[in-house]
RNA sequence: CGGAUAGUAGCGCAGAGGCUAGCGCGCUUGCUUCGGGAGCAAGAUGUCGGAGGUUCAAGUCCUCUCUAUCCGACCA
């Protein structure tokens, strides 16, 4: 490609909307352009990179037996009504009516589609296992897109769907994806860690997320260096210490102005772990069949030294969504904010008790009366509820193995889910097994956000001058800069390299050297060849690596193409040598 | 959806009642220059986000609205 003909231009200053380095460079180098909130176009450089990422993904998916298909973005709402997600997913899924007033949706994921396709094609165990995948546009009307390409509304996703006759088959395909994803990310040079995850609205059981660790990430990942435990905070477990003593009688005490646990502890001169606090939420419960919504007050009781993890709470309460309760709602259920507990509350409220509370006793809790608390409250004796782990893990807490946990921010670039029969049963996707019986197909679904993948690479590979993407995914392998007025040598080398199959970006513009070097730094192609009078006079070209601009090599012009190909091979080999082979045992 | 900020030339910004809206970069033409964002000269570019209103006079004040960004709620 000749830079003189290139569609996009580079920007000297960052557009004001760019707040992360990676995103700033993607904009300035002309990889992407924003169209609206969370809506982007990929310009030629961005699209070339995107295509290289997709190729790595396709190769890997094909390798584990995937067959590429393409499903529609626009779906009849019927299939989404079959699984109930038409009702359970809120505004994030966009809906409209077609000319005949039929309900339509923009598919935000394709479990429904994949299942609808599979039920047509699969009838016998002899056809299983199967794996289909697609790389396709998703629209998710996120309430708040942010951070450039990290959280967008329209994006490209690789999603694959596995179909098996039994759990062993599912486990097999799940493990294949587990390993395959590591190879995909490492081939592109993106460091990721895998974490145990919440299966969220997918509704399955086992699931993992692939996280790129970055301070701009929106997920919190809990890890243990000692036993390699890693989990999204939404599901992370930790070891709680319990304190049991002889059970004492409940006792009401005056505790003026003690609306927070801190005030209460200072006033009573006790530790936070000796208290039980109540957190009030309102959960929405949706009937999958009718779409009817119902709201119920949820009271979460947790020991004062811990915090509630809303995701865990939502699961324990089996709620569709949660929001903080308003004061009136709390009062209506006979509880008092600031002095609340589950004791003598409205029986219609759902009480979820963290196991820390069940296993401790004689805790100080609210008396549901302004200015009063109760000493020595005990779960079981004084109130009952659903016991679950609803506590949020934090750095410094103790891992189940006994060591200290750490926390990091991360960006989810991929996920794998075991769906089981959630979709096949709901959508009547059955096969006849060897024993002649009809059984639901067992499914898994596996996603990679392609645009987010690119965004993460841009975050990972940059410096104060611009991008420096790895050779496996950089839009071009070589940046050829001609500084000589007589362009004949530049033209000759450009042709030689191109003919030899090298991906070259040739700066043939009539620009000053400074402009050319700065643009080359910004776009950051891995290998830079500079043709200048100094070296060309001696029959040589200068070669630099974007990853280390201080080192300057001289290659003979006669053998340049050959040497460049060798260099490309060696850079590629460096990355391939670092491909992570990791297996999951289930 | 709540809170905050911002919309003026392709990009970054100034102009905060006064008559013809500016600066830097970029863009166009010419000459010179040619190894780290060149110099000189001559140019072009705006419905001041939109709609209403106040005023003799509105980028400038008021109302409404749209859009974007950030914080939060939310997030397969």
């Amino acid at each position: 490609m000749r830079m003189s003909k290139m569609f996009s231009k580079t920007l000297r200053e960052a557009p004001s909307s760019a707040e992360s380095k990676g995103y700033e460079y993607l904009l300035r180098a002309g990889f992407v352009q924003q169209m609206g909130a969370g809506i982007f176009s990929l310009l030629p450089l961005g699209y070339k990179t995107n295509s290289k990422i997709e190729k790595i993904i396709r190769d890997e998916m094909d390798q584990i037996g995937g067959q590429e298909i393409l499903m529609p973005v626009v779906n009849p709402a019927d299939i989404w009504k079959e699984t109930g997600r038409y009702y359970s997913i809120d505004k994030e899924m966009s809906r409209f009516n077609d000319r005949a007033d039929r309900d339509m949706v923009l598919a935000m994921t394709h479990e429904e589609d994949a299942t609808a396709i599979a039920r047509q094609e699969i009838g016998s165990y002899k056809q299983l296992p199967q794996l289909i995948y697609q790389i396709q546009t998703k629209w998710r009307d996120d309430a708040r897109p942010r951070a450039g390409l990290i959280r967008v509304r329209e994006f490209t996703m690789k999603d694959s769907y596995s179909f098996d006759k039994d759990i062993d088959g599912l486990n097999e395909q799940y493990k294949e994806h587990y390993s395959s994803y590591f190879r995909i990310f490492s081939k592109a040079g993106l460091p990721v860690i895998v974490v145990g995850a919440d299966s969220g609205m997918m509704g399955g059981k086992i699931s993992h997320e692939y996280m790129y660790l970055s301070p701009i990430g929106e997920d919190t990942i809990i890890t243990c260096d000692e036993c390699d435990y890693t989990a999204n905070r939404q599901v992370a477990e930790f070891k709680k210490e319990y304190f049991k003593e002889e059970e004492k009688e409940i006792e009401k005490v005056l505790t003026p102005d003690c609306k927070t646990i801190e005030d209460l502890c200072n006033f009573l001169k006790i530790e936070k772990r000796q208290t039980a606090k109540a957190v009030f939420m309102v959960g929405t419960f949706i009937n999958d069949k009718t779409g009817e919504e119902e709201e119920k007050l949820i009271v979460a009781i947790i020991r004062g030294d811990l915090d509630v993890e809303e995701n865990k709470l939502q699961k324990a309460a089996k709620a569709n969504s949660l929001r903080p309760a308003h004061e009136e709602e709390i009062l209506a259920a006979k509880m008092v904010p600031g002095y609340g507990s589950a004791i003598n509350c409205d029986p219609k409220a759902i009480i979820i008790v963290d196991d820390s509370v069940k296993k401790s006793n004689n805790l100080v809790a609210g008396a549901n009366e302004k200015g009063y608390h109760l000493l020595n409250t005990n779960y079981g004796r004084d109130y009952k509820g659903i016991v679950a782990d609803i506590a949020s893990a934090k750095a410094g807490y103790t891992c189940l193995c006994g060591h200290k946990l750490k926390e990091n921010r991360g960006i989810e670039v991929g996920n794998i889910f075991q769906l089981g029969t959630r979709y096949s049963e709901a959508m009547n996707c059955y096969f006849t097994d060897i024993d002649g019986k009809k059984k639901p197909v067992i499914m898994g679904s596996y996603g990679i956000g392609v645009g987010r993948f690119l965004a993460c690479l841009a975050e990972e590979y940059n410096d104060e001058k611009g991008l420096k993407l790895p050779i496996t995914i950089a839009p071009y392998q070589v940046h050829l800069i001609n500084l000589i007025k007589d362009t004949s040598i530049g033209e000759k080398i450009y042709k030689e390299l191109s003919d030899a199959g090298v991906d070259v970006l040739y700066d043939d513009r009539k620009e000053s050297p400074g402009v050319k070097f700065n643009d080359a730094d910004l776009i950051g192609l891995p290998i830079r060849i500079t043709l200048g009078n100094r070296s060309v006079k001696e029959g040589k070209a200068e070669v630099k690596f974007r990853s280390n601009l201080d080192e300057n090599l001289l290659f003979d012009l006669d053998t340049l193409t050959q040497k460049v190909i060798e260099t490309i091979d060696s850079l590629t080999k460096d990355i391939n040598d670092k491909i992570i082979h990791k297996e999951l045992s289930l």
Side-chain angles (χ1 to χ4, degrees):
Chain A
M1 180 72 207
R2 289 169 187 276
M3 274 187 92
S4 61
K5 308 274 187 226
M6 201 158 70
F7 179 72
S8 57
K9 60 172 190 235
T10 54
L11 297 173
R12 293 198 180 191
E13 281 176 286
S16 54
S17 62
E19 77 275 12
S20 78
K21 268 284 174 238
Y23 178 44
E24 177 192 325
Y25 291 140
L26 287 176
L27 288 170
R28 282 185 50 204
F31 278 57
V32 300
Q33 204 190 91
Q34 184 170 15
M35 184 69 78
I39 306 177
F40 287 85
S41 300
L42 289 175
L43 301 182
L45 289 172
Y47 190 61
K48 281 210 80 167
T49 306
N50 188 80
S51 300
K52 291 194 176 185
I53 293 171
E54 287 187 2
K55 180 166 190 321
I56 290 174
I57 295 174
R58 283 198 171 89
D59 287 350
E60 273 298 326
M61 284 295 108
D62 292 345
Q63 182 126 19
I64 61 169
Q67 299 173 56
E68 188 168 7
I69 63 166
L70 187 61
M71 293 184 266
V73 179
V74 175
N75 283 193
D78 293 13
I79 56 173
W80 291 81
K81 288 177 182 171
E82 284 185 56
T83 61
R85 289 210 288 186
Y86 185 76
Y87 309 108
S88 63
I89 296 171
D90 200 20
K91 289 182 183 160
E92 208 175 330
M93 181 158 70
S94 294
R95 298 142 211 258
F96 65 99
N97 293 308
D98 70 4
R99 62 199 299 159
D101 207 33
R102 285 178 282 244
D103 289 340
M104 310 297 281
V105 307
L106 296 181
M108 43 189 287
T109 172
H110 280 74
E111 281 75 19
E112 278 77 359
D113 291 72
T115 313
I117 292 170
R119 70 182 169 192
Q120 294 276 332
E121 304 297 333
I122 293 170
S124 158
Y125 74 94
K126 291 175 190 166
Q127 291 169 277
L128 297 172
Q130 288 291 348
L131 178 63
I132 53 174
Y133 76 95
Q134 64 171 351
I135 295 180
Q136 188 239 28
T137 302
K138 301 278 185 271
W139 169 260
R140 294 181 185 179
D141 195 2
D142 197 298
R144 174 134 137 70
R146 68 184 107 190
L149 288 187
I150 300 290
R151 202 167 127 182
V152 294
R153 296 193 293 170
E154 186 185 292
F155 58 98
T156 303
M157 183 175 185
K158 185 290 297 181
D159 43 330
S160 39
Y161 303 90
S162 66
F163 304 93
D164 282 284
K165 61 182 164 66
D166 53 27
I167 290 289
D168 288 346
L170 170 62
N171 283 341
E172 200 49 47
Q173 300 223 50
Y174 191 84
K175 284 184 197 167
E176 295 261 32
H177 276 87
Y178 182 92
S179 303
S180 173
Y181 274 29
F182 272 110
R183 291 194 297 272
I184 289 169
F185 292 120
S186 51
K187 274 184 181 177
L190 188 71
V192 293
I193 64 164
V194 72
V195 305
D198 173 35
S199 48
M201 80 166 167
M202 291 301 182
K205 294 186 184 71
I206 299 176
S207 112
H208 288 91
E209 289 172 340
Y210 291 76
M211 293 282 183
Y212 165 64
L213 297 182
S214 160
I216 65 169
E218 298 192 282
D219 285 282
T220 301
I221 299 152
I222 302 292
T223 56
C224 172
D225 290 345
E226 189 66 24
C227 70
D228 285 339
Y229 177 72
T230 53
N232 195 306
R233 174 183 277 170
Q234 294 178 330
V235 296
E237 295 177 358
F238 63 97
K239 197 170 180 176
K240 298 168 191 168
E241 286 173 57
Y242 304 111
F243 308 92
K244 273 232 168 173
E245 50 191 35
E246 201 181 319
E247 228 172 67
K248 294 183 202 157
E249 280 305 300
I250 204 161
E251 186 185 335
K252 189 161 123 181
V253 291
L254 182 68
T255 52
D257 294 324
C258 289
K259 289 191 84 168
T260 67
I261 290 292
E262 210 137 287
D263 295 339
L264 182 67
C265 291
N266 287 336
F267 183 79
L268 293 174
K269 308 244 176 326
I270 54 171
E271 286 181 51
K272 283 184 180 176
R273 62 170 175 81
Q274 294 172 285
T275 66
K277 68 180 166 190
V279 177
F280 304 98
M281 306 291 290
V282 170
T284 309
F285 298 82
I286 293 173
N287 184 316
D288 273 358
K289 295 282 175 281
T290 63
E292 276 168 38
E293 282 189 26
E294 195 187 355
E295 286 200 329
K296 285 184 195 164
L297 186 74
I298 297 170
V299 190
I301 306 295
I302 192 164
R303 225 171 48 198
D305 57 329
L306 301 171
D307 283 318
V308 170
E309 171 56 47
E310 281 187 28
N311 193 68
K312 288 183 179 179
L313 178 63
Q314 183 180 331
K315 251 191 180 169
K318 299 193 169 66
N320 198 265
S321 64
L322 288 185
R323 63 166 172 83
H326 303 307
E327 189 161 334
E328 312 84 71
E329 291 168 324
I330 301 169
L331 293 169
K334 293 190 253 174
M335 287 175 282
V336 180
Y339 301 92
S341 73
I343 297 168
N344 298 326
C345 75
D346 185 340
K348 283 203 290 277
I350 299 172
I351 300 164
I352 310 284
V353 180
D354 188 63
D355 53 359
S356 62
V357 170
K358 187 191 172 190
K359 293 180 187 168
S360 307
N361 66 1
N362 299 333
L363 299 174
V364 177
N368 287 327
E369 187 180 336
K370 199 173 175 213
Y372 289 93
H373 276 85
L374 298 171
L375 304 183
N376 307 321
T377 69
N378 289 315
Y379 172 79
R381 182 188 69 183
D382 305 321
Y383 59 97
K384 293 198 167 62
I386 301 164
V387 177
D389 167 32
I390 55 167
S392 187
K394 290 198 177 111
Y397 283 13
T398 308
C399 177
L400 295 177
C401 81
H403 286 79
K404 289 274 176 259
L405 289 168
K406 287 185 177 170
E407 63 178 69
N408 282 292
R409 306 289 284 172
I411 300 167
E412 181 189 344
V413 284
N415 53 43
I416 53 179
F417 293 100
Q418 291 206 349
L419 298 174
T421 56
R422 153 101 168 81
Y423 294 90
S424 47
E425 280 182 37
M427 296 182 69
N428 197 26
C429 178
Y430 283 71
F431 70 102
T432 307
D433 207 351
I434 195 163
D435 57 10
K437 287 190 180 135
K438 290 250 182 219
K439 294 176 186 171
V441 170
I442 297 178
M443 294 175 57
S445 81
Y446 318 85
I448 291 177
V450 181
R452 190 179 273 187
F453 195 160
L454 168 58
C456 290
L457 284 162
E459 291 305 327
E460 177 70 12
Y461 294 101
N462 71 60
D463 59 19
E464 67 290 343
K465 291 181 164 177
L467 296 169
K468 39 179 187 179
L469 296 173
I471 197 155
T472 45
I473 52 101
Y476 296 91
Q477 297 165 319
V478 170
H479 201 138
L480 176 64
I481 300 175
N482 182 40
L483 300 177
I484 307 168
K485 209 183 276 178
D486 176 359
T487 58
S488 58
I489 293 175
E491 290 292 332
K492 181 168 163 276
I493 289 177
Y494 175 51
K495 185 168 189 309
E496 262 180 40
L497 288 168
S498 300
D499 288 351
V502 177
D503 241 346
V504 193
L505 183 62
Y506 173 34
D507 197 343
D508 60 337
R509 296 175 300 172
K510 289 186 172 61
E511 288 287 352
S512 70
V515 170
K516 292 183 177 183
F517 286 130
N518 278 295
D519 278 347
D521 290 342
L522 181 59
I523 296 169
L525 300 176
I527 300 169
R528 176 178 315 171
I529 303 172
T530 308
L531 299 172
N533 283 319
R534 292 181 191 161
S535 46
V536 167
K537 245 186 256 169
E538 283 150 34
K540 294 187 191 294
E542 286 160 58
V543 176
K544 279 189 178 190
F545 298 114
R546 180 61 180 85
S547 54
N548 177 15
L549 290 173
D550 295 332
E551 193 185 0
N552 199 5
L553 307 173
L554 287 172
F555 286 8
D556 284 336
L557 286 176
D558 303 339
T559 55
L560 182 66
T561 301
Q562 188 51 38
K563 291 270 289 219
V564 167
I565 290 171
E566 283 166 21
T567 308
I568 291 170
D569 288 346
S570 114
L571 287 181
T572 309
K573 187 173 176 298
D574 286 349
I575 291 174
N576 288 340
D577 284 348
K578 289 184 204 142
I579 292 178
I580 296 171
H581 297 281
K582 204 164 169 181
E583 286 186 17
L584 173 69
S585 56
L586 284 172

